[in-house]
Amino acid sequence: MEPRFRCFDPSSSGYNSPISVTRNHFSNSYCASTNIIRSLRTPSMDRNSNKSEPKIVSGDAGYVFEDVPHFTDYIPNLPTYPNPLKDNPSYSVVKQYFVNDDDTVAQKIVVHKSSPRGMHLRRAGPRQKVYFESDEVHACIVTCGGLCPGLNTVIREIVCGLYHMYGVNKILGIEGGYRGFYARNTVPLTPKVVNDIHKRGGTILGTSRGGHDTSKIVDSIQDRGINQVYIIGGDGSQKGASVIYEEIKRRGLKVAVAGIPKTIDNDIPVIDKSFGFDTAVEEAQRAINAAHVEAESVENGVGVVKLMGRYSGFIAMYATLASRDVDCCLIPESPFFLEGPGGLFEFIQKRLKEIGHMVIVIAEGAGQELLSESQDAQDASGNKVLQDVGLWLSQKIKVCNWTRTSSFLFLKWIYTIGGIYNSEVAFVGLFCKTSEDSHESQAYRFIFILVDPTYMIRAVPSNASDNVYCTLLAHSAVHGAMAGYTGFTVGPVNGRHAYIPFYRVTETQNKVVITDRMWARLLSSTNQPSFLSAKDIEQARIEEEPPAQEDPPTQLNGENCKDQKSTSK
């Protein structure tokens, strides 16, 4: 008797009925010839369940396919329609209109000959069949969380993609984040309305933190007749999107929920990078350049630049590597200490003696464990409120007993205070210096120059690279929703856009791996000490190693592996 398998097939009328191996969501020849399908865990049909089970397909040679939800998982007998892209003049020159249903994207691309094929995700792109007619679609777009370069570009390209590629003309913008759903704040969006918004920073829809009330949001979606929801936000917003999808599924609604991951810190896992990151690194150069000019213009000047990076130091690391003017970079993942042999103060004195000035870049989440006071307060998004490591470090520098230099420290502090880049606030105080041949202390004046690179970076329009990236993200999300996929976020994985289950981008955070070659490149560029003991390094390696039965972490060009959970130090 021929074996029969349970295969996910959006074109079949009943997702949970046993079907032949030649009737599945992969192409017939692919499944039949390789016998790829070994097992499949489909989402639970229990309406009382709060969470769908992962959709996992296992195949030969260690192949694992992690799929995203589809309408046919919980709504039987849905009709399908030909994709209108087939008759779209813009696509007439395209060699292949549609993505094959059996196309998947490998999460690891650097492997050994004996390595298992590993985890794969569904490739993003247009399908031959869609689950919406153009005049049936009523879409909405919402932006949540903090500002980020590229938000308006994503909004524009979702609207234009729906309108020009699929003929959709009913699109709403939800104003003010999640709470806008039940506050009844909406604005109609058309290509004419969004035509020039990519040239502006921020978001034309407004944004907010918190305000997530699942029942009210889904009630509003249902009352308005919305059947496609595009949610642009960070990990907290993607968690909210996942809850919205689960409630929609529980009610049996034909509503596609698509997420576009947004975080300027680049801390979303699985995807190669988040939009706005390239712009943030580029803009950070201006603050670093200002600090460098200030520092080298005076004797023993030290410029300090505080950049974004709550838990992940990617902006600080890449801005440092790009600048080449930075002498020390401090990030949350790499612990440091101030006093004693090998400490930060010793390095400052050494560098001032060598070149007469210094630039320090510090991420906002660095050194939190050194601050004496601890806070349990959270913001509206549930993030822990960080203490001001910048002011703390400046105080520590002021009270340090600098015994190894006979000249005073002139501190230039380029720092976030909530103003704008061109506004400066000068603080004048006293700095105590003890000369080598005398026990007498002398008072010198020092100056802090306070500037705000954070808001300068967050509020600018996206650069050319991010504009292209935002377009690809928006179009991939639109293609997925039209094809009946739901409960997914979209992003590039090893250069290929893929559909990713919500839980994969919310279960952990992407962080700098300090035992990786990219961090080693930074240490080589700045010539700073690692501030780590041999014990710290060994512990970091142990924590970052996978279980023995799995392959060792696979790294490409020194970049941290997205499928390995990085560890906060």
Side-chain angles (χ1 to χ4, degrees):
M1 182 177 176
E2 287 288 326
R4 295 163 71 84
F5 303 91
R6 295 178 185 270
C7 298
F8 170 56
D9 182 7
S11 62
S12 90
S13 59
Y15 89 99
N16 209 22
S17 59
I19 55 179
S20 168
V21 71
T22 58
R23 283 280 295 160
N24 54 73
H25 198 52
F26 294 89
S27 67
N28 296 349
S29 60
Y30 184 75
C31 276
S33 62
T34 62
N35 196 22
I36 189 68
I37 305 298
R38 298 294 187 225
S39 66
L40 171 62
R41 290 185 294 170
T42 53
S44 171
M45 283 291 286
D46 182 5
R47 292 286 179 88
N48 296 321
S49 174
N50 291 327
K51 227 172 186 183
S52 298
E53 294 179 7
K55 297 169 64 175
I56 307 293
V57 178
S58 299
D60 290 332
Y63 176 91
V64 180
F65 171 46
E66 190 166 13
D67 204 359
V68 295
H70 193 272
F71 285 153
T72 53
D73 293 346
Y74 62 94
I75 305 176
N77 304 318
L78 281 176
T80 60
Y81 312 94
N83 195 320
L85 279 178
K86 188 175 181 180
D87 302 316
N88 191 314
S90 299
Y91 279 72
S92 61
V93 297
V94 177
K95 185 177 180 180
Q96 181 179 348
Y97 286 109
F98 306 115
V99 173
N100 291 324
D101 283 338
D102 58 359
D103 282 355
T104 58
V105 178
Q107 192 170 342
K108 292 170 64 176
I109 59 172
V110 180
V111 296
H112 305 288
K113 61 182 179 180
S114 59
S115 299
R117 293 177 63 190
M119 182 67 70
H120 290 64
L121 300 163
R122 182 167 294 283
R123 184 183 175 189
R127 265 61 182 177
Q128 283 189 332
K129 299 292 184 181
V130 296
Y131 283 75
F132 294 96
E133 291 187 291
S134 298
D135 56 2
E136 168 195 1
V137 175
H138 189 188
C140 75
I141 306 170
V142 63
T143 54
C144 308
L147 294 182
C148 176
L151 281 169
N152 279 334
T153 305
V154 175
I155 295 169
R156 181 188 190 278
E157 295 308 317
I158 291 175
V159 173
C160 292
L162 284 167
Y163 187 91
H164 294 302
M165 291 191 295
Y166 289 99
V168 175
N169 52 29
K170 290 186 290 185
I171 309 169
L172 279 180
I174 307 297
E175 295 184 327
Y178 276 132
R179 60 172 50 93
F181 277 102
Y182 49 85
R184 304 268 172 186
N185 299 324
T186 63
V187 55
L189 298 177
T190 64
K192 184 177 181 180
V193 170
V194 301
N195 184 53
D196 293 325
I197 64 172
H198 62 290
K199 300 175 184 177
R200 304 181 229 161
T203 164
I204 63 164
L205 298 179
T207 186
S208 65
R209 299 185 184 274
H212 191 283
D213 188 314
T214 305
S215 295
K216 287 183 178 180
I217 291 172
V218 178
D219 286 345
S220 175
I221 291 170
Q222 195 168 2
D223 293 344
R224 296 174 191 269
I226 292 170
N227 50 25
Q228 289 187 11
V229 182
Y230 297 93
I231 298 171
I232 310 169
D235 55 351
S237 301
Q238 300 302 307
K239 289 176 183 176
S242 179
V243 175
I244 291 171
Y245 155 70
E246 294 292 346
E247 177 62 18
I248 286 172
K249 174 176 173 287
R250 188 188 69 80
R251 299 188 188 188
L253 304 177
K254 184 188 172 185
V255 178
V257 180
I260 296 91
K262 173 228 49 150
T263 168
I264 204 168
D265 292 342
N266 197 40
D267 59 359
I268 291 181
V270 184
I271 65 174
D272 296 343
K273 65 178 178 180
S274 53
F275 76 83
F277 176 70
D278 282 353
T279 304
V281 172
E282 184 176 300
E283 288 296 315
Q285 303 305 298
R286 297 177 59 191
I288 293 174
N289 182 62
H292 182 250
V293 170
E294 291 281 355
E296 70 175 355
S297 298
V298 295
E299 183 182 7
N300 291 330
V302 177
V304 183
V305 183
K306 182 182 174 186
L307 296 176
M308 289 156 294
R310 175 178 292 275
Y311 302 115
S312 302
F314 286 103
I315 293 180
M317 181 174 74
Y318 277 83
T320 295
L321 281 168
S323 170
R324 306 293 177 178
D325 286 332
V326 179
D327 300 286
C328 185
C329 178
L330 304 174
I331 61 173
E333 295 88 340
S334 182
F336 64 94
F337 59 97
L338 301 181
E339 301 181 77
L344 178 61
F345 289 162
E346 182 182 79
F347 179 64
I348 291 174
Q349 291 178 308
K350 176 175 177 291
R351 185 52 57 91
L352 290 178
K353 186 176 181 180
E354 291 172 348
I355 61 175
H357 65 274
M358 185 176 184
V359 175
I360 300 173
V361 168
I362 184 168
E364 62 181 333
Q368 291 293 313
E369 69 280 1
L370 298 178
L371 277 66
S372 57
E373 299 178 3
S374 60
Q375 294 181 354
D376 296 325
Q378 295 182 335
D379 62 19
S381 295
N383 299 314
K384 182 179 178 181
V385 176
L386 299 178
Q387 294 192 71
D388 199 324
V389 67
L391 289 179
W392 170 82
L393 182 60
S394 69
Q395 293 296 323
K396 289 294 184 181
I397 290 175
K398 284 191 290 184
V399 300
C400 175
N401 188 18
W402 300 88
T403 59
R404 296 185 181 179
T405 178
S406 58
S407 55
F408 68 90
L409 189 71
F410 193 81
L411 191 67
K412 294 287 185 176
W413 182 248
I414 312 300
Y415 169 66
T416 62
I417 56 168
I420 59 175
Y421 181 77
N422 290 325
S423 69
E424 298 182 358
V425 182
F427 286 80
V428 180
L430 296 179
F431 175 80
C432 290
K433 179 271 299 182
T434 303
S435 63
E436 293 181 349
D437 54 354
S438 172
H439 295 291
E440 296 180 0
S441 295
Q442 303 176 32
Y444 292 89
R445 296 172 68 83
F446 65 90
I447 298 176
F448 292 95
I449 298 181
L450 307 182
V451 188
D452 189 355
T454 296
Y455 292 95
M456 176 188 73
I457 292 170
R458 288 179 12 151
V460 299
S462 53
N463 63 12
S465 173
D466 272 324
N467 269 335
V468 174
Y469 180 28
C470 290
T471 300
L472 297 178
L473 286 172
H475 287 188
S476 294
V478 167
H479 292 318
M482 292 297 296
Y485 295 108
T486 182
F488 69 90
T489 192
V490 65
V493 179
N494 294 316
R496 293 287 185 178
H497 282 245
Y499 298 136
I500 307 162
F502 278 133
Y503 63 85
R504 287 297 306 278
V505 297
T506 59
E507 62 189 358
T508 185
Q509 288 181 316
N510 187 30
K511 297 185 179 183
V512 174
V513 180
I514 61 172
T515 55
D516 178 57
R517 282 183 291 168
M518 186 58 78
W519 183 244
R521 292 186 183 107
L522 180 140
L523 297 179
S524 176
S525 171
T526 62
N527 290 316
Q528 72 184 70
S530 68
F531 302 113
L532 295 173
S533 65
K535 182 178 178 181
D536 291 330
I537 296 173
E538 182 61 26
Q539 183 64 27
R541 284 177 177 160
I542 292 173
E543 292 176 351
E544 285 155 12
E545 284 179 357
Q549 68 269 22
E550 297 182 7
D551 279 20
T554 310
Q555 296 176 349
L556 174 62
N557 200 25
E559 302 248 359
N560 61 302
C561 288
K562 302 290 182 179
D563 57 344
Q564 297 293 333
K565 183 177 180 181
S566 301
T567 307
S568 178
K569 302 297 176 284

